Amino acid sequence: SFLAGPLVVGNRSIGILSVSSSSINQYDNYDVQMINIIASQAAVLLELNNNITETKRFSNKILDNVNSGIMVIDDSGKIIIFNKSAEIITGFNTDEILGRDISTVKLKLDNKENFIYECFNKQKTYFEEPGYMVKEDENILRIRFSTSTMYNDDNSVKSCICIFRDNTEIEKLQRQVAM
């Protein structure tokens, strides 16, 4: 016995759900109705999954095409997002840095360490603050960075977004002009 139901979303057919059995005359009208219900629910789930996948792909493309480094730290202090520009600026590979604790990355606000923890503990944000980062090759990189916090439904801090750019050349030119 073989039973098939169309996977339909709106007025589009996106596939077929089929069920088969080695027994003859295995399915009755109730089975047909159930397969059609399951097929319609499966079609909606498949379409929703496709939309989520496409949205995620689009969001990742945006992150990868921004000129600034973007690093997101979760509430346990782990780096969960590190975009392509962050790789280029710092020399760190995304695969190597994802999941690492932020304390292992030498990212400092001028005259202040562990400022990222203030984003979580005091919900403090920074805008275009001078700082530095020690790159993968141990060279010091002058940066400007801004932070923002994302919140859970209960208003607890979910993550800290750190956006940074290389400021080395600008600071060098400023020193030359000041002479």
Side-chain angles (χ1 to χ4, degrees):
S1 294
F2 179 78
L3 185 60
L7 299 175
V8 177
V9 176
N11 59 0
R12 295 179 315 130
S13 177
I14 63 169
I16 296 174
L17 176 67
S18 63
V19 179
S20 62
S21 172
S22 58
S23 301
I24 298 174
N25 295 325
Q26 179 68 33
Y27 307 112
D28 59 19
N29 283 338
Y30 177 77
D31 295 326
V32 171
Q33 288 176 339
M34 292 308 295
I35 290 298
N36 282 329
I37 290 170
I38 292 169
S40 69
Q41 296 300 310
V44 169
L45 290 173
L46 284 170
E47 186 72 8
L48 181 60
N49 183 57
N50 288 341
N51 289 342
I52 290 169
T53 300
E54 185 56 36
T55 300
K56 186 175 180 180
R57 188 177 302 129
F58 182 72
S59 296
N60 287 338
K61 289 248 185 238
I62 291 170
L63 282 174
D64 284 342
N65 286 293
V66 172
N67 290 331
S68 297
I70 299 175
M71 177 170 47
V72 179
I73 301 99
D74 70 11
D75 60 352
S76 67
K78 303 285 185 223
I79 300 167
I80 58 172
I81 293 176
F82 198 75
N83 74 340
K84 292 251 187 252
S85 290
E87 278 188 334
I88 293 165
I89 293 167
T90 67
F92 288 105
N93 182 295
T94 297
D95 294 334
E96 296 169 357
I97 205 159
L98 288 180
R100 281 178 53 182
D101 192 276
I102 187 61
S103 65
T104 66
V105 178
K106 297 174 186 162
L107 175 64
K108 309 289 188 231
L109 178 66
D110 283 357
N111 303 318
K112 184 181 265 187
E113 291 194 32
N114 301 323
F115 70 93
I116 290 290
Y117 295 106
E118 288 186 355
C119 294
F120 290 104
N121 300 332
K122 298 179 182 175
Q123 284 135 15
K124 183 162 176 59
T125 58
Y126 296 91
F127 181 73
E128 286 293 310
E129 295 289 334
Y132 68 92
M133 178 180 279
V134 179
K135 296 173 55 166
E136 176 71 3
D137 62 9
E138 297 296 322
N139 285 317
I140 292 177
L141 175 70
R142 296 296 304 167
I143 61 171
R144 285 278 177 170
F145 69 90
S146 300
T147 63
S148 182
T149 48
M150 289 179 48
Y151 297 92
N152 291 310
D153 291 338
D154 66 358
N155 284 334
S156 62
V157 177
K158 178 178 184 167
S159 59
C160 175
I161 304 164
C162 185
I163 302 169
F164 56 94
R165 59 185 167 78
D166 185 344
N167 207 45
T168 306
E169 291 300 315
I170 292 171
E171 288 185 18
K172 186 190 296 184
L173 290 171
Q174 287 173 337
R175 283 191 303 275
Q176 289 175 354
V177 168
M179 292 179 162

